[in-house]
Amino acid sequence: MEIYFLGTNAGIPTVQRNVTSVVLRLLEERRSFWMFDCGEGTQHQILRSPLRLGKLEKLFITHLHGDHLFGLPGLLSSRGYQGGTAPLSVYGPPGLKAYLEISLSVSQSRIPYKLEVVEHEGGLLFEDEHFKVESALLEHRIDSYGYRVTEKDRPGSLNIELLKGYGLKPGPLYGVLKSGRDVTTEQGITIAAADVLSEPKRGRIVTVLGDTRPCGNSIPLAREADLLIHEATFAHELAKMAREYHHSTTVQAAEIAKEANARQLILTHFSSRYSSPEELGPLLDEARAIFPDTQLAEEFRLFPVERSRGN
């Protein structure tokens, strides 16, 4: 599980940075990746990355401002031309379906795969045996949503040496024990799963917050997250401007991470006024003064989602 940024700028692209798009790589877990937002030019960014559109499984739109979805029609069309045949689900606020229907029909774009568009107003959006995705409304000029991706706990590891001592060879009974159920061997020996199975591996949590002022729903979405991605459009000296434009500052993002007891914070969605690493450096310093485990998003850089210690 890794985070990969395709765009980190707010509002408009610059020479240095593209507009918003975040990827959650799940190549080991699902052999796919999920995307959060798809600003204009995202498919060009993908061409410069190791990603392949055919592996895109789910796409989540935080809100319907152009810098977060103008790249979507082109990306959906290109996915078909690039051999993408697997189904794709796109989630977002009401209005997303109409936007896509008009864009794709007027341009006569051909989508040769099953495209599911799910409009939502928060709540549980997806769940299977491995993951669940929840969403809640944030506070922006239009409806904007945050997303919380929870990886479910995985069974612990079997003590192979101990099982050999019982005379049990690899086979179907290993799977039964792995599921937490006791087994009885052909020799009549009962093996308790608890005796041969280590503690479950705690699932990881990734939270992606769309454009927002600090608000009540940010905390439960980010609670105990292993990785929180939060917008930091402005340095804190521009807190008044941030509030007027319904955005957050570096300090506010760090305060959310601290109150939610997140483990790591990555700041993104930077105003184009911060065009160089030297100008971004003070933003990082501001956040780290409150929440030390903070990093700045960088395009085309992988950020591993680490498990908690002991898991």
Side-chain angles (χ1 to χ4, degrees), residues 240-308:
K240 183 178 179 181
M241 179 183 291
R243 179 161 184 81
E244 290 174 353
Y245 285 92
H246 295 78
H247 284 295
S248 297
T249 69
T250 53
V251 168
Q252 290 165 343
E255 289 172 342
I256 292 293
K258 183 176 181 179
E259 185 175 350
N261 197 30
R263 291 171 178 80
Q264 184 180 6
L265 169 66
I266 300 181
L267 303 178
T268 189
H269 199 267
F270 308 116
S271 167
S272 57
R273 70 184 63 227
Y274 311 110
S275 60
S276 69
E278 291 74 24
E279 291 170 309
L280 284 171
L283 276 67
L284 181 60
D285 294 338
E286 284 187 342
R288 282 184 171 174
I290 295 168
F291 191 82
D293 201 351
T294 300
Q295 298 188 69
L296 299 180
E298 296 179 31
E299 293 172 23
F300 310 117
R301 176 184 168 188
L302 279 176
F303 293 83
V305 183
E306 304 289 354
R307 294 187 187 276
S308 302

Side-chain angles (χ1 to χ4, degrees), residues 184-247:
T184 301
T185 69
E186 294 179 354
Q187 293 75 27
I189 301 173
T190 298
I191 303 175
D195 293 339
V196 297
L197 199 60
S198 66
E199 289 295 317
K201 295 180 180 179
R202 177 188 172 275
R204 291 159 289 183
I205 299 171
V206 173
T207 297
V208 181
L209 298 186
D211 290 8
T212 185
R213 292 170 172 169
C215 66
N217 280 340
S218 296
I219 301 300
L221 282 170
R223 182 77 66 194
E224 304 292 336
D226 296 280
L227 181 60
L228 167 61
I229 299 170
H230 198 299
E231 70 127 294
T233 308
F234 299 105
H236 200 62
E237 65 181 3
L238 297 177
K240 183 178 179 181
M241 179 183 291
R243 179 161 184 81
E244 290 174 353
Y245 285 92
H246 295 78
H247 284 295

Side-chain angles (χ1 to χ4, degrees), residues 67-78:
D67 58 319
H68 293 256
L69 90 162
F70 278 169
L72 188 51
L75 181 140
L76 296 179
S77 178
S78 294

Side-chain angles (χ1 to χ4, degrees), residues 64 69 93-105 117 119:
L64 303 184
L69 90 162
L96 176 62
K97 187 175 294 186
Y99 169 75
L100 286 177
E101 286 177 349
I102 293 172
S103 300
L104 296 174
S105 63
V117 181
E119 294 186 337

